[in-house]
Amino acid sequence: MDYLSWALINGPLSIICFIINVFYIFCMVRPLHGESIKQPLKLLLSSLIGSTVVYIFAVCGVFFSQAYNEQNGVAELSLYVSLGCLSISVSSSVWLNFFYYTQIVPARGGLFVWIKRNVKPVVFVVLLGESICTLLDFSLSVVVLNLNDYELNATSTAENASLYDPPGGDFQNQRVDITVIKVTLQRSRFYISFVVMMASSGATVLYLSRHIRHMLVNGLSLSSAGLSSQVRVTVTGILQCLLYFSFAVWREYAFAAEHDMTTFISPYVRSTAVSLYMLGTTLNLGAGQSVFRQRAADVWGRAGQWCRSLQQG
């Protein structure tokens, strides 16, 4: 994929994603019925939406730096910011699934009972830890970028002076050490998120399936508002789980390709895969949250009334 193809695909994706997330922000600031979103759901939604919006701005930074052929590190920094936003978005969606798991599945066992009772501080601490890890990851990326610049400048100076061999060993060793730390941190967070997502979604599905089967056997009604809400949240959780699983397989393939000299994946392809994941997560978020659906239905109804009034006038 070349730059033009990347821009033609990611441009509309970013615009659509940005508009939807701005609408979500409006819904959170001005809920339809004035009902405030409780914590930690509000924090999880804010983290998910905020990381998506910042990611879009980072993609714009890459777009303009590539369009004007700027070589001042803007593209690299924008890329690192976008990767950090991706990490925050993934962790937020994972722990959002976990939060609904604690709200739907009855608590059994001492640890789960404690987590269910203290889910708010648990989510706060987890997201704080994720933010610190993301900041550390970004800092390590900046250090690697600076080492590359230092090595390039030192090599250029050495070649011009022709007095000694270009220094590369120290820079190379430092870069390798930092890269090992960076990759280890990324992979650890990736596998932890993967396990939490799959375990919480799977446990929620098993519980609801048994619960619904029990209700059918006993002739109970399935039309209760609480059950409908639980089923809707679970379905969107399953969709997010499938989306995350597909993206996880892709990331594993891309990670393996980095160490395979016979396989090359263009950065534009990697960026497009991330943009598709972010848009899918955004659309799924709107389907799962009542505060967004209610406001969307209200806007749609008002738009219909406005169109009818224009036709009658």
Side-chain angles (χ1 to χ4, degrees), residues 138-253:
F138 177 77
S139 301
L140 292 176
S141 300
V142 173
V143 171
V144 172
L145 181 62
N146 289 332
L147 286 176
N148 291 336
D149 292 338
Y150 290 152
E151 182 177 5
L152 180 62
N153 294 333
T155 302
S156 176
T157 302
E159 289 177 348
N160 292 333
S162 300
L163 295 178
Y164 50 87
D165 293 332
D170 292 339
F171 292 111
Q172 183 68 24
N173 293 334
Q174 293 176 11
R175 186 165 58 244
V176 170
D177 293 339
I178 294 175
T179 302
V180 169
I181 297 174
K182 185 172 177 289
V183 171
T184 302
L185 180 64
Q186 290 177 342
R187 306 307 293 171
S188 300
R189 296 170 61 196
F190 172 77
Y191 288 123
I192 292 174
S193 297
F194 183 82
V195 170
V196 172
M197 172 68 87
M198 298 302 159
S200 58
S201 297
T204 305
V205 171
L206 289 176
Y207 166 75
L208 270 185
S209 62
R210 289 196 300 264
H211 181 60
I212 292 175
R213 186 165 57 249
H214 174 76
M215 294 179 67
L216 290 174
V217 170
N218 291 273
L220 301 177
S221 175
L222 300 179
S223 59
S224 64
L227 180 62
S228 299
S229 176
Q230 290 180 350
V231 171
R232 183 179 60 253
V233 168
T234 303
V235 170
T236 55
I238 294 173
L239 293 176
Q240 185 64 36
C241 186
L242 294 175
L243 180 64
Y244 178 73
F245 180 78
S246 301
F247 186 69
V249 172
W250 159 255
R251 287 192 66 178
E252 286 297 299
Y253 172 74

Side-chain angles (χ1 to χ4, degrees), residues 271-292:
S271 175
T272 302
V274 175
S275 296
L276 290 172
Y277 169 81
M278 299 292 269
L279 179 60
T281 299
T282 296
L283 295 174
N284 193 52
L285 183 65
Q289 301 300 318
S290 59
V291 65
F292 302 148

